[in-house]
Structures are given as structure tokens and as C-alpha cells.
């Protein structure tokens, strides 16, 4: 819950408006349900007892959750067995404590067993209203969010792109595919806010912050890794200048002339050197094993999503296998082909395969 509130606090205004609208509707429905229930009990001359038990339901719910967690902790096991214990406690200990305390306190307040049980059940029903309404309204909320996002984007002034094409090289991969490696450079004072990519298959938002084997960034520099047989994308950039003013720019990636050259990797004993920066998520180190499946180690991770891999990649040494003997490079082809892979083998790997 703490992580959710923190992410909501730091979310764009469109997200906050959507969640606020869902929360307001859910609270309104809960207020109507509680009002109808209170009117019913006041008609039975039990309004005071109902109100006291309804308020106490929050403390009773906390006690039931504590009992469930305490049961799991007391068992002292982990793994799938702990999950089974959690489910068992949820359907036994939790209801026993929750409805038992409602019955006990309701009896002290002059309520019947059925009335106390109903107040307990309706409390759970009210809690379930929030996710139920959220799930029901989510399609409409997504439309509202998209509208608000587009409105916010359109309010940002358009300016010429501060990026310049620094380099564009055409490479031939071992699997026969040819790719563009294009380097866009911007002033160091620029702050890159977001980068969208438009292709013939639609627009992908904020590609610089998500896993991709086609685009990455190093600081403010952007590197595009793109199959030659695909039309180059249109890039939509959102950025701030040195004064902190936000702008947006749209530009079409431009290919260079010339023939393709081999994508050559320089191998050393403990590292390899890439000819150009590449997206982390498209690279994997592989340890081949003659009698077993190979071991893969992807260079991509959540903390570095969108960032380029270093051009000098250290080769980790596994005590039983030594260093990896293959680098695998993924290229995103146009649908329906999907992804393709090219393997680069260490020069000594053919003559000295691991045992």
C-alpha cells in the first residue's frame, strides 16, 4: 500500500485525476450503502448499537488480519507450504476471528447473531466495492487518461529538434540480416523527458524508459538499432532546455548511404568490445555446455531499462564453466517475423569448448 501511495503521489496528473475519480465514485457508493443500512437499524431502534459496531468493524478487521499473519508466522515455514498455510488461515482463522468478534461485541450491544453477522458481512462488501468499481470503470478511465495525456502533450510548444545525427552505420550480422546503427547527439544542457516512437504499426510511448532492443540512451544521446528492411521510425521527443522550459520535437530518422560492413566484435580474455552502443535488453552472454542446455545471462535489468550497454562488456568468470563463449544479439523485425538472433562466438571457443 505504501508503494502504491508513493507511486500515485509521483504519477502524472492524468493518473492522479483518474484514480481520484474512481475513489470518489467508490466512496459515494459506500456512503449510500452505509446510509441505507443505518436507516434500517434506526427503524429497529438499534441505530446506536449499529453505529458502534460499524465503527468497531475497522478494528475487528485489523485484528483478523493480525491473526492471519500471526498464524503464518507461528507455523514458521516458507515456500509453497507457506502459501498453502496462508490460504488456509485466510478461510479459517480470519473469518473465525472477524465474525466471532462481531458476534461478541454485537451481543454486548444488544444485537442478534444475525444482525451482527450482517454488519460484518456488509463491511466486507463495502471494502470490495473499491476494487470492483475500479475494475468496472478501468476501460473508461484508460480513455480519460489517454485524453488527458494527449491534451497535456498538445499544450507543450513545438520546437526544432535539438538532436543532430552524429553517426549512421550499416552493419551485416552473422545471420545475414542488415541493421542501421544511428547515433543522435544533443547538447549536454538538454534534459530528455520522454521519447515516443511511431512506426507503421502504431505509436509506442516512452520507449526510452522501457525494455527495447531497438533504441537506448546514454545520458542525452540516443542510439537507434534498426533492421535495414524496415522503414525507419519517426521519433517524437519531449525535452527541457537549459532554462527548464519544456518543448517537443518530431523528426524522421534518416539513413546514410554506403554498403554494409560486418558487425565485428573484439574479444579479449576478460572482456569484449562492441563497435557501437547497443540496447542492454537485446544482449545476452551464453555459456555453452556440450551435454546440457546453455546458460544465459541477459544484460538487461529493471534498474537499467532503456539504457545502452557499455561498449566494453566485462565477461564474468563462472568457476565451473569459465567465461562465456557466445554473445547473442536480438533484433526486432517487423511483424509477423518478430525477433531474430545473431550469435557471436569467441575465437578460441571452437577449439577449446568447456567441459
Amino acid at each position: 500500500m505504501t508503494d502504491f501511495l508513493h507511486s500515485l503521489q509521483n504519477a502524472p496528473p492524468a493518473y492522479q485525476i483518474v484514480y481520484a475519480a474512481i475513489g470518489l465514485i467508490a466512496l459515494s457508493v459506500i456512503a449510500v450503502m452505509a446510509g441505507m443500512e443505518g436507516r434500517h437499524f434506526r427503524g429497529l431502534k438499534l441505530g446506536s448499537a449499529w453505529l458502534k459496531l460499524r465503527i468497531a468493524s475497522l478494528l475487528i478487521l485489523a485484528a483478523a488480519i493480525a491473526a492471519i499473519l500471526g498464524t503464518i508466522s507461528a507455523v514458521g515455514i516458507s515456500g509453497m507450504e507457506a502459501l498453502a498455510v496462508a490460504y488456509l488461515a485466510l478461510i479459517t482463522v480470519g473469518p473465525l476471528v472477524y465474525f466471532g468478534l462481531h458476534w461478541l461485541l454485537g451481543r454486548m450491544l444488544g444485537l442478534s447473531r444475525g444482525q451482527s453477522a450482517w454488519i460484518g458481512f456488509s463491511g466486507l462488501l463495502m471494502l470490495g466495492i473499491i476494487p470492483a468499481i475500479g475494475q468496472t470503470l478501468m476501460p473508461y478511465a484508460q480513455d480519460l487518461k489517454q485524453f488527458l495525456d494527449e491534451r497535456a502533450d498538445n499544450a507543450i510548444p513545438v520546437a526544432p529538434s535539438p538532436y543532430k545525427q552524429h553517426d549512421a552505420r550499416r552493419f551485416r550480422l552473422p545471420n545475414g540480416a542488415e541493421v542501421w546503427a544511428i547515433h543522435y547527439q544533443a547538447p549536454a544542457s538538454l534534459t530528455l523527458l520522454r521519447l515516443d516512437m511511431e512506426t507503421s504499426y502504431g505509436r509506442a510511448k516512452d520507449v526510452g524508459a522501457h525494455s527495447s532492443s531497438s533504441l537506448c540512451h546514454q545520458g542525452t544521446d540516443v542510439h537507434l538499432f534498426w533492421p535495414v528492411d524496415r522503414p525507419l521510425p519517426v521519433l517524437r521527443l519531449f525535452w527541457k532546455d537549459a532554462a527548464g522550459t519544456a518543448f517537443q520535437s518530431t523528426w524522421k530518422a534518416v539513413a546514410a548511404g554506403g554498403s554494409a560492413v560486418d558487425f565485428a566484435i573484439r574479444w579479449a580474455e576478460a572482456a569484449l568490445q562492441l563497435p557501437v552502443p547497443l540496447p542492454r535488453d537485446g544482449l545476452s552472454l551464453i555459456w555453452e555446455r556440450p551435454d546440457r542446455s546453455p546458460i544465459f545471462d541477459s544484460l538487461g535489468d529493471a534498474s537499467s531499462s532503456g539504457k545502452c550497454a557499455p561498449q566494453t562488456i566485462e565477461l564474468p568468470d563462472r568457476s565451473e564453466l569459465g567465461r562465456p563463449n557466445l554473445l547473442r544479439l536480438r533484433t526486432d523485425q517487423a511483424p509477423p517475423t518478430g525477433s531474430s538472433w545473431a550469435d557471436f562466438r569467441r575465437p578460441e571457443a571452437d577449439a577449446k569448448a568447456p567441459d
Side-chain angles (χ1 to χ4, degrees), residues 7-355:
S7 63
L8 183 59
Q9 182 181 0
N10 297 316
Y15 282 95
Q16 296 175 343
I17 292 173
V18 167
Y19 280 108
I22 292 176
L24 183 61
I25 293 173
L27 290 177
S28 299
V29 173
I30 291 173
V32 170
M33 292 177 62
M36 294 174 62
E37 185 180 70
R39 190 180 303 113
H40 170 75
F41 278 93
R42 284 192 296 272
L44 300 175
K45 309 300 182 183
L46 295 171
S48 177
W50 166 81
L51 181 60
K52 292 176 182 178
L53 186 56
R54 169 57 63 224
I55 295 174
S57 290
L58 295 175
L59 297 177
I60 293 174
L61 178 63
I65 294 174
I68 294 172
L69 296 178
T71 302
I72 298 172
S73 177
V75 172
I77 59 177
S78 60
M80 296 302 295
E81 292 82 2
L83 184 61
V85 171
Y87 279 124
L88 186 61
L90 185 64
I91 62 176
T92 56
V93 176
L96 182 63
V97 172
Y98 182 78
F99 287 103
L101 289 177
H102 272 87
W103 171 78
L104 181 61
L105 184 56
R107 183 176 181 181
M108 295 170 60
L109 293 172
L111 295 168
S112 69
R113 181 182 304 175
Q115 290 169 338
S116 299
W118 168 254
I119 293 174
F121 174 75
S122 65
L124 295 177
L125 188 62
M126 291 178 189
L127 286 178
I129 285 293
I130 298 176
I133 290 180
Q135 187 70 23
T136 303
L137 297 181
M138 193 53 64
Y140 306 101
Q142 291 293 340
D143 292 339
L144 175 61
K145 175 192 167 300
Q146 184 177 357
F147 169 77
L148 294 173
D149 283 343
E150 291 178 355
R151 184 174 180 179
D153 288 347
N154 293 335
I156 299 174
V158 178
S161 173
Y163 277 80
K164 305 298 180 184
Q165 184 168 298
H166 178 70
D167 186 29
R169 303 167 67 181
R170 182 170 178 167
F171 289 105
R172 183 185 308 106
L173 302 179
N175 60 3
E178 293 188 2
V179 293
W180 289 112
I182 306 178
H183 177 190
Y184 298 99
Q185 201 168 51
S189 59
L190 176 142
T191 301
L192 182 61
L193 300 176
R194 196 179 92 214
L195 187 61
D196 297 352
M197 178 186 292
E198 295 182 11
T199 68
S200 56
Y201 296 94
R203 176 177 172 183
K205 286 193 171 184
D206 205 7
V207 292
H210 300 92
S211 299
S212 171
S213 64
S214 300
L215 184 141
C216 63
H217 60 85
Q218 284 182 324
T220 59
D221 286 14
V222 174
H223 295 267
L224 182 68
F225 189 69
W226 200 259
V228 169
D229 58 357
R230 292 187 66 181
L232 285 166
V234 175
L235 302 177
R236 189 176 182 188
L237 171 75
F238 296 83
W239 52 281
K240 285 184 178 180
D241 62 11
T245 305
F247 296 96
Q248 61 174 304
S249 306
T250 302
W251 81 92
K252 176 74 164 60
V254 179
S259 58
V261 298
D262 289 337
F263 192 92
I265 293 179
R266 292 164 53 191
W267 293 86
E269 180 180 356
L272 63 84
Q273 181 76 28
L274 299 172
V276 291
L278 294 176
R280 283 178 174 270
D281 296 280
L283 294 170
S284 298
L285 297 173
I286 301 177
W287 285 260
E288 289 185 308
R289 299 184 294 179
D291 55 343
R292 286 172 291 176
S293 300
I295 296 176
F296 292 80
D297 184 6
S298 174
L299 297 185
D301 58 68
S303 63
S304 61
S305 184
K307 296 181 181 179
C308 297
Q311 281 191 253
T312 300
I313 299 176
E314 302 294 330
L315 301 176
D317 189 358
R318 292 178 178 264
S319 57
E320 74 282 9
L321 296 172
R323 302 188 189 277
N325 60 335
L326 275 179
L327 175 74
R328 178 161 292 176
L329 172 60
R330 189 178 94 237
T331 306
D332 287 340
Q333 304 290 339
T337 303
S339 299
S340 63
W341 289 265
D343 289 342
F344 300 85
R345 186 181 300 274
R346 292 183 65 176
E348 70 274 17
D350 290 332
K352 190 178 181 180
D355 296 329

